[in-house]
Amino acid sequence: MSPSPPGFALDKSGEETILRLRGDWTVATLHYVERELSGVRLPSGAGIDVSGLGRIDTAGAFLIDRLVREGGETPPRLIGEHASAASLIAQVHAVSDPAAPPKVTPNGLIEMLERVGRGTEAFVRELIATLAFLGETVSTIVRLCAQPWKMRWTSIVAVMEEAGLNAMPIVAFLSFFVGMVVAYIGATTLSDFDLEIYTVELIGYSMLREFGVVLTGIVLAGRTNSSFTAQIGTMKMRQEIDAMQTLGLKPMEVLVAPRVLAMVVMTPILAFVATMAGIAGGIVVGWTSLDINPGLFIERLRTSVPLDQFWIGMSKAPVFGLVVALIACRQGLLTGGSVQSLGHRTTTSVVQAIFAIIVLDAMFAIFYMELGI
């Protein structure tokens, strides 16, 4: 009989917290949940439901006892019936019961330095793992391009519609009003110097070079990124990815590559729409508040703002699309077997994507400044 993968769920109903266990908690299966379980903190008085527990050995009992000790509960309060869980956990608890550690007076500076060090170490590890995933993704896409009959065109087109075409209204709507805000700010500031006409240049440079593509990336990070992570994470929770691998299908080819290719293609299109919508918002403000008719606005924009500003903005779009899809897919594949893990990975995915877009945009700005563009 093959072992059943372990799992758990933290049930916070009312004032009582219960950790419900399921599957086999043995030395051969604990690696499935040990990482997710390390992030769980049980409050004092929490119960552990063992009615859904399968097989358990001393390794599983030790892991449960350690979790209970961290919450301050001693001995563990078990709920439900199980043939050997209560006795094993009691034996492990009696053997590993340590003497009370000496009370250490906290040092604020040392704790702060420790947290900074741990955060830096975690950041470096995450960066290295993301770069490794990027390399694996690029190699997979190159292999698929060399073997186009293996490319899943239906999946690519479906993702392009879901993540690109369906996101176009909200991207255009948001960029239109941001363009209006920038135009109003420019008009208010420049009116003190009787230079309201230069609002056209302000709108042109800001929307073509920065705001259009950055707003697109942020919207995709909040909308599409979370969707990709939730989709892949749900498949991971339901063990659909394990079944896929059993059938000989590679998750990188089936799940990751179509999403990455679709985002790389659709992000420049969305950035173009966002840029045009932002300029349209500036035209509306110029027409209604500054008496600059649309024809004059467009003509001055054409003559005063170089075309290379448009290409600078468009050059960022594929990179932003690649980063958003890459982070979303990686966090989805890292999802554990619990709902808490799915929520944590989705939140992490969105935060990382927005952070990466802002940092990459700053790096692009420094790069183009050094080139004198």
Side-chain angles (χ1 to χ4, degrees), residues 119-120 122-124 126-127 130 214 217-222 225 319-320 323-324 327 331 346-364:
T120 304
F123 174 79
V124 172
E126 188 72 16
L127 179 61
T130 302
V214 172
I218 292 176
V219 170
L220 292 179
N225 185 280
V319 179
F320 288 176
V323 169
V324 167
I327 293 175
Q331 293 298 326
T346 303
T347 303
T348 302
S349 177
V350 174
V351 173
Q352 285 187 358
I354 295 176
F355 177 80
I357 287 171
I358 301 300
V359 171
L360 285 173
D361 186 63
M363 294 175 65
F364 270 114

Side-chain angles (χ1 to χ4, degrees), residues 74-123:
T74 178
R77 184 170 66 88
L78 301 182
I79 301 173
E81 297 293 334
H82 191 274
S84 58
S87 60
L88 270 176
I89 294 175
Q91 293 175 27
V92 170
H93 181 81
V95 172
S96 60
D97 189 9
K103 188 175 181 179
V104 180
T105 304
N107 188 311
L109 178 60
I110 294 178
E111 288 185 352
M112 184 191 71
L113 293 176
E114 182 182 0
R115 292 187 63 181
V116 171
R118 292 182 184 275
T120 304
E121 182 186 5
F123 174 79

